[in-house]
Amino acid sequence: MATVTQLTNPALTVDAVDYSDQCTSAEVKTSAEAQDITAFGVTSRVYGAGLLSNEITATLFISYGAAEVETNLSALVGTTFDVLVGKAAGVAAADNPIYTLTGCYLEEFTPIKGSVGEMSTCDLTFKGGVLTRAIV
């Protein structure tokens, strides 16, 4: 079963760069593949956990220029790096868990997306890697 955490005021760090001031939403999701481990003589299916799938999605306002969203994220497409998401900025604690996705992958990035009268944003999906939760 998947566990989803939706944050209302997230703190987001991608490849050691803090994007909290440009992040409008973030979601951390983990799931385990169901593996059929039913043996002869059992009258109902039995499942065990297979491989984990971990994912962090985020929406950022796009900014342009040296060391800004578009420049930094364009360079990360097709590479692996770490992403951290917290309920809020600050130190990890029981009331502020920090999730780290180590060795995740950015498959695609849309550097220009906008409509008349709207702020330009980008939707990001960081896939794979090992998800850890820190509360201390």
Side-chain angles (χ1 to χ4, degrees), residues 1-6 27-32 53 55 99 131:
M1 175 188 269
T3 302
V4 178
T5 304
Q6 294 181 336
E27 182 177 354
V28 177
K29 186 161 101 175
T30 186
S31 63
S53 279
E55 186 175 283
Y99 288 86
L131 185 67

Side-chain angles (χ1 to χ4, degrees), residues 107-132:
E107 183 175 16
E108 64 181 298
F109 171 63
T110 304
I112 298 177
K113 176 183 153 192
S115 299
V116 174
E118 294 182 3
M119 298 293 294
S120 292
T121 61
C122 58
D123 297 315
L124 304 167
T125 302
F126 306 102
K127 301 177 179 182
V130 176
L131 185 67
T132 56

Side-chain angles (χ1 to χ4, degrees), residues 7-8 10 30 59 68 78 83 90-91 100 106-107 119 126-127:
L7 308 171
T8 57
T30 186
T59 300
E68 290 294 335
V83 174
V91 179
T100 303
L106 182 61
E107 183 175 16
M119 298 293 294
F126 306 102
K127 301 177 179 182

Side-chain angles (χ1 to χ4, degrees), residues 45-118:
R45 292 253 181 234
V46 179
Y47 293 94
L51 293 174
L52 293 175
S53 279
N54 301 310
E55 186 175 283
I56 292 177
T57 58
T59 300
L60 300 178
F61 291 116
I62 297 177
S63 56
Y64 301 91
E68 290 294 335
V69 171
E70 183 269 338
T71 303
N72 294 342
L73 295 179
S74 290
L76 294 179
V77 174
T79 67
T80 57
F81 47 89
D82 300 343
V83 174
L84 286 78
V85 177
K87 183 184 130 228
V91 179
D95 63 346
N96 187 33
I98 305 286
Y99 288 86
T100 303
L101 192 52
T102 304
C104 65
Y105 180 78
L106 182 61
E107 183 175 16
E108 64 181 298
F109 171 63
T110 304
I112 298 177
K113 176 183 153 192
S115 299
V116 174
E118 294 182 3

